Amino acid sequence: MKKLNRKNLDEKWADGIAGQAETASVIKSVNTKAVPIESIEFIGNPRDISITPEDIRSNYETLRLPPQAFEDSIDSDWTESYESLVESVFKDPRKIRDFMSIARFAASMRSADRLQSAIVVWREGTKFFKITGERRYLSHVLLGERSIYARIYEEKPSDFEISRIQWDENFHRENLNIHDALTNLKDMVRQWQERTGQQSISLAQFQNLSGMKRSQGQKYLKVLTNATEEIWAAMKAGQITSIENVHQIAALNNEEDRNRALAQFLKGEGATTKELQRERAKQGKRTRRQKKTPTRAPNITNPNWVR
């Protein structure tokens, strides 16, 4: 197999990134190259992955991927026995789930040379601070790689720009779960409000910020506006996994109804989409009736009053 030339790859990626960056005013200079893993600070985690680099490094000999993980055969079933090893290290079900996701990604990638998308960092002296690419970074640690391709910002972007970068990258990723997506959006909206001084955000503004179509933006904005702590906890625990389900619950008008619908949904008692839609329709009718202007009572002290 022909060995890949890292220098040529760096130059090709840098050319592509530079072309995209010409119109981005927030980027003073962008550069893509292989960065030492040990030079990257793993701070911030918009995807809320429960695994840290230290989790992997401190258990590396136990968690090293088996040779079967790299076999081309689709019949190679290495995950069952490997997951038993992972369970012996991590007792938390969430950590086990997150680690297995990283392990599968690492097995499919095999080596740093097969990385399809560079991670994003900013540089401060000899240190690099990660903006995006948690799974790719952690997969490289698991593979024992010493470097990873990174798109480098030579100056630290603002908090708002970091939120935009993270959302722009994550928005098109199929494996981004609903909790992580909404957390990223929530942070981005908060940064936008702090930047502009506005206390609320319209649907049109939210569309411009997120790049979503109107129908999709309505659902996400409704959840961000109405989701209770209980709804957020259910999403984080993986009990609600689709925007359609969480939107149906969050769209109910008051917190009591939302939490009741959530409880029924989690019990599997079928606060189903149809039932929630009927409840929303009833609430919509009540709201419209309440918004109608009531007939004014006569003001006998005002001679100009007209019935």
Side-chain angles (χ1 to χ4, degrees), residues 9-215:
L9 283 172
D10 286 348
E11 292 172 353
K12 289 178 181 178
W13 264 331
D15 289 343
I17 295 298
Q20 296 173 14
E22 287 176 356
T23 58
S25 60
V26 298
I27 303 175
K28 304 301 182 185
S29 60
V30 175
N31 167 19
T32 302
K33 67 178 185 179
V35 173
I37 291 283
E38 297 293 336
S39 299
I40 300 173
E41 295 288 331
F42 191 80
I43 59 172
N45 194 347
R47 298 197 62 174
D48 199 26
I49 297 174
S50 60
I51 297 296
T52 67
E54 186 55 33
D55 286 333
I56 299 174
R57 293 189 180 107
S58 61
N59 298 285
Y60 184 74
E61 291 305 318
T62 302
L63 299 175
R64 186 196 297 266
L65 289 174
Q68 294 87 346
F70 305 105
E71 292 179 0
D72 291 328
S73 173
I74 62 173
D75 296 322
S76 176
D77 187 12
W78 57 276
T79 57
E80 185 174 345
S81 58
Y82 184 73
E83 188 165 357
S84 297
L85 288 176
V86 175
E87 291 171 350
S88 71
V89 175
F90 305 117
K91 308 304 181 184
D92 180 7
R94 184 163 166 249
K95 274 186 172 286
I96 295 169
R97 183 181 68 243
D98 286 352
F99 185 86
M100 287 303 298
S101 173
I102 293 164
R104 291 187 183 95
F105 183 76
S108 66
M109 185 169 57
R110 299 189 182 188
S111 71
D113 289 331
R114 294 182 58 167
L115 181 65
Q116 297 297 310
S117 300
I119 68 170
V120 182
V121 300
W122 84 82
R123 184 207 304 264
E124 287 185 11
T126 59
K127 282 289 183 183
F128 299 87
F129 297 86
K130 177 195 58 61
I131 298 175
T132 68
E134 285 82 6
R135 281 209 323 151
R136 283 162 284 171
Y137 175 85
L138 291 169
S139 294
H140 277 61
V141 175
L142 181 57
L143 288 169
E145 295 284 356
R146 302 183 65 181
S147 62
I148 185 172
Y149 285 109
R151 174 183 171 188
I152 303 166
Y153 283 66
E154 297 296 342
E155 295 182 9
K156 180 184 177 181
S158 69
D159 290 342
F160 173 69
E161 289 158 359
I162 289 174
S163 295
R164 288 293 302 270
I165 294 165
Q166 290 170 340
W167 175 250
D168 289 343
E169 168 159 313
N170 289 332
F171 180 46
H172 299 290
R173 292 191 178 277
E174 294 181 0
N175 57 6
L176 184 68
N177 67 50
I178 189 63
H179 177 267
D180 292 350
L182 283 162
T183 299
N184 197 163
L185 283 168
K186 184 179 180 181
D187 289 342
M188 188 165 63
V189 170
R190 178 177 55 80
Q191 294 291 347
W192 175 83
Q193 289 174 325
E194 291 177 359
R195 185 186 180 110
T196 62
Q198 297 194 43
Q199 297 302 310
S200 61
I201 185 170
S202 69
L203 176 58
Q205 289 169 327
F206 183 73
Q207 284 181 260
N208 291 335
L209 195 63
S210 65
M212 292 181 176
K213 295 180 180 178
R214 182 179 178 83
S215 60

